[in-house]
Amino acid sequence: MTLAEENYLKAIYHLEQQFPKGVSTNALAEEMKTKASSATDMVKKLAEKDMLTHIPYQGATLSEAGRGYAVKVIRRHRLWEVFLVEKLNFSWDEVHEVAEHLEHINSDKLIDELDAFLEFPIYDPHGDPIPDKQGHFKHIEKIVLAKAEVGSTYKCVGVDDTSSKFLKYLDSNAIGLGTIMTIKHKEPFDNSIKIALEHSEMVVSQSVAKNLYLKKV
Amino acid sequence: MTLAEENYLKAIYHLEQQFPKGVSTNALAEEMKTKASSATDMVKKLAEKDMLTHIPYQGATLSEAGRGYAVKVIRRHRLWEVFLVEKLNFSWDEVHEVAEHLEHINSDKLIDELDAFLEFPIYDPHGDPIPDKQGHFKHIEKIVLAKAEVGSTYKCVGVDDTSSKFLKYLDSNAIGLGTIMTIKHKEPFDNSIKIALEHSEMVVSQSVAKNLYLKKV
DNA sequence: CTTATAATTTAGACAAAACTAAAAATATGT
DNA sequence: ACATATTTTTAGTTTTGTCTAAATTATAAG
């Protein structure tokens, strides 16, 4: 698998969550920030390598091999993110770009030893699960802040939007993975939510509330 | 700088030690395990980018910029080697291949933080000096075992040949960086040398003696 | 059911980095 | 000095992954 092939597999894997019936050429091209014709070419190549099945004008679906490979790349990516944040003082909005490169280094020993060195982490710095060596994810049942119930207390376990802007907003408001919060009030007018943190209270907008994952504690 | 360009710069940098007047196309092609015509093409490209000066049929010499870039790549390579050996339990014959990939990830923050995490190492696992952020090497005065004097005691500080075969030979004889040895006898017949380690004595051949660097203690 | 529009694929080109084969320049031996 | 051998360069292809423009297929609206 070349670098480009790995990136396409990863993109298709992510898009499959959203489009389980098959990933369209356009969606893939948009995700990869390229043109539809390029996506077509690569899909054809990956189909020849039995990484996916492709019905022209319909969409692409990963094969077992393709999905396995994508998960492997995701495992590498997320382990490196943990390393960058825990050992090299990266903040959660800085890790992505570097991890995009590190994830393509293909050495089983490297990744297995890194995994052990980090003491087999189960979640990455954004709260996303890290698949184990066999490709199995530890599932976490999480809800979105927008659907949390008033009066209950939750722990922050992840984010949906991983843009630098959003992560910096959370940082500046002392919200991170593991932060404990209680839902004080939901404002029906604009769907904003008032939450209580350890030492402060704040109101978050609906767009924030839709991108923060919580787990009841 | 692309991956291929970085590898060529590094190769030219190494060859310049051996051929200070200019690196020939053939030598470069051999080092890169490619053909002379490919070397010519790349040298032309690097000359256009002002990474080196090239006089056709004469040879190539790195510019300041080119040498600086090569040193940067070497710094990255050697820091990653330290990381792999010290943190991920790689042995010194396993590190090279993976470090060849890691060295091309271009992030100043990544390398500076890695440097700090490793506590600013000055030598890599093979005893080669690691340039600092400014590209300066800490020079070590070392001699080759073949020229050590009978009766003196030395510390092993590096190797010349970094082939897996040689490193495994050293490993299996309990010789590593930092190993203390005393020269017992030099055999004029075949230039073999008898040395005393902490708990044993052994005889090494001339070809081994020419590839082990020592420092008087 | 036909037509307009949107999505997808094909065809043809390009740049990077490699190759082969051949030409040109330099070096060497007598 | 001259013929030969070696080194280096040039010319023309190949592969990977991209692009634009054009053609094809699917979808939706009337």
Side-chain angles (χ1 to χ4, degrees):
Chain A
M1 289 294 115
T2 69
L3 196 145
E5 288 169 347
E6 285 188 358
N7 283 329
Y8 271 93
L9 281 182
K10 208 173 37 137
I12 296 166
Y13 179 88
H14 287 310
L15 290 168
E16 273 193 343
Q17 325 279 306
Q18 206 181 328
F19 308 108
K21 288 169 262 164
V23 174
S24 76
T25 302
N26 257 9
L28 183 55
E30 196 185 351
E31 175 85 8
M32 292 298 297
K33 282 164 185 160
T34 184
K35 298 300 155 72
S37 52
S38 307
T40 299
D41 288 347
M42 184 54 91
V43 162
K44 234 186 244 167
K45 196 157 65 125
L46 289 171
E48 262 168 37
K49 291 194 173 193
D50 291 319
M51 289 289 145
L52 49 79
T53 48
H54 179 232
I55 306 167
Y57 296 98
Q58 295 278 104
T61 315
L62 290 177
S63 67
E64 275 311 302
R67 186 165 299 111
Y69 207 100
V71 168
K72 190 172 181 169
V73 176
I74 287 165
R75 168 170 157 82
R76 299 196 292 228
H77 182 100
R78 293 183 180 168
L79 281 173
W80 282 116
E81 285 197 344
V82 173
F83 172 72
L84 294 173
V85 167
E86 290 195 358
K87 307 294 182 184
L88 301 195
N89 304 308
F90 277 61
S91 57
W92 56 345
D93 59 295
E94 293 175 317
V95 293
H96 197 73
E97 196 193 327
V98 175
E100 284 291 303
H101 291 101
L102 286 163
E103 75 186 6
H104 297 295
I105 294 174
N106 186 5
S107 158
D108 287 343
K109 165 142 179 131
L110 175 66
I111 294 305
D112 292 344
E113 291 284 353
L114 180 67
D115 196 16
F117 179 62
L118 298 171
E119 291 167 337
F120 307 103
I122 296 179
Y123 301 109
D124 81 3
H126 308 106
D128 295 315
I130 300 174
D132 66 18
K133 204 181 169 182
Q134 282 70 44
H136 302 308
F137 289 90
K138 199 115 246 128
H139 194 63
I140 187 176
E141 25 67 48
K142 56 193 179 183
I143 62 159
V144 80
L145 169 53
K147 292 193 175 156
E149 50 190 48
V150 174
S152 295
T153 299
Y154 298 87
K155 181 166 75 170
C156 174
V157 296
V159 293
D160 188 18
D161 177 357
T162 59
S163 72
S164 181
K165 249 185 221 161
F166 182 54
L167 296 175
K168 276 186 179 141
Y169 163 82
L170 294 178
D171 259 357
S172 68
N173 286 288
I175 297 175
L177 276 199
T179 300
I180 304 292
M181 62 183 72
T182 302
I183 314 302
K184 287 294 179 188
H185 176 68
K186 289 176 125 169
E187 177 53 54
F189 168 62
D190 62 357
N191 295 312
S192 67
I193 300 178
K194 184 195 264 186
I195 62 178
L197 304 177
E198 205 181 350
H199 300 298
S200 62
E201 279 196 4
M202 64 181 291
V203 175
V204 300
S205 70
Q206 183 184 25
S207 58
V208 169
K210 286 200 296 196
N211 281 305
L212 209 50
Y213 292 126
L214 307 177
K215 187 184 164 187
K216 217 162 190 170
V217 290
Chain B
M1 286 296 110
T2 68
L3 196 146
E5 288 168 347
E6 286 189 357
N7 282 330
Y8 271 94
L9 281 181
K10 208 173 40 138
I12 296 167
Y13 180 88
H14 286 311
L15 290 168
E16 273 193 342
Q17 328 276 307
Q18 207 182 328
F19 308 107
K21 290 170 258 165
V23 174
S24 76
T25 302
N26 257 8
L28 183 54
E30 195 185 351
E31 176 85 9
M32 292 298 297
K33 281 165 184 160
T34 182
K35 296 302 156 67
S37 53
S38 307
T40 298
D41 287 348
M42 185 53 91
V43 162
K44 237 188 240 169
K45 197 158 65 128
L46 289 171
E48 261 167 40
K49 292 194 172 191
D50 291 319
M51 288 290 146
L52 50 80
T53 48
H54 179 231
I55 307 169
Y57 294 99
Q58 298 276 105
T61 315
L62 291 177
S63 68
E64 273 312 301
R67 186 164 299 111
Y69 206 101
V71 168
K72 191 172 180 170
V73 176
I74 288 166
R75 169 171 157 80
R76 299 197 290 229
H77 182 99
R78 293 184 179 167
L79 281 173
W80 281 117
E81 286 198 342
V82 172
F83 172 73
L84 294 174
V85 168
E86 290 195 357
K87 307 293 182 185
L88 300 196
N89 304 309
F90 277 62
S91 57
W92 54 343
D93 59 295
E94 292 175 316
V95 292
H96 197 71
E97 196 193 328
V98 175
E100 284 291 304
H101 291 101
L102 286 163
E103 74 184 6
H104 297 295
I105 295 174
N106 187 5
S107 158
D108 286 345
K109 166 141 179 134
L110 176 66
I111 293 305
D112 293 344
E113 291 284 353
L114 180 66
D115 197 15
F117 179 62
L118 298 170
E119 292 169 334
F120 307 102
I122 296 181
Y123 300 108
D124 79 4
H126 307 105
D128 295 314
I130 299 174
D132 66 19
K133 205 182 169 180
Q134 282 69 46
H136 301 308
F137 289 89
K138 198 82 145 235
H139 194 63
I140 187 175
E141 23 67 47
K142 57 191 177 184
I143 62 161
V144 80
L145 169 54
K147 292 192 176 158
E149 50 190 48
V150 173
S152 296
T153 299
Y154 298 88
K155 182 167 73 172
C156 175
V157 296
V159 293
D160 187 19
D161 178 356
T162 60
S163 72
S164 182
K165 249 185 222 162
F166 182 54
L167 297 174
K168 274 185 180 144
Y169 163 82
L170 294 177
D171 260 358
S172 67
N173 286 287
I175 297 175
L177 276 197
T179 300
I180 304 294
M181 62 183 71
T182 302
I183 312 303
K184 287 293 179 188
H185 176 67
K186 291 176 122 167
E187 176 53 54
F189 168 61
D190 62 356
N191 294 314
S192 67
I193 299 178
K194 184 193 266 186
I195 62 178
L197 304 176
E198 208 181 349
H199 299 298
S200 62
E201 279 196 0
M202 64 180 292
V203 175
V204 300
S205 70
Q206 183 183 23
S207 60
V208 169
K210 286 201 295 197
N211 281 305
L212 251 193
Y213 291 126
L214 307 177
K215 188 183 161 187
K216 218 162 191 171
V217 290

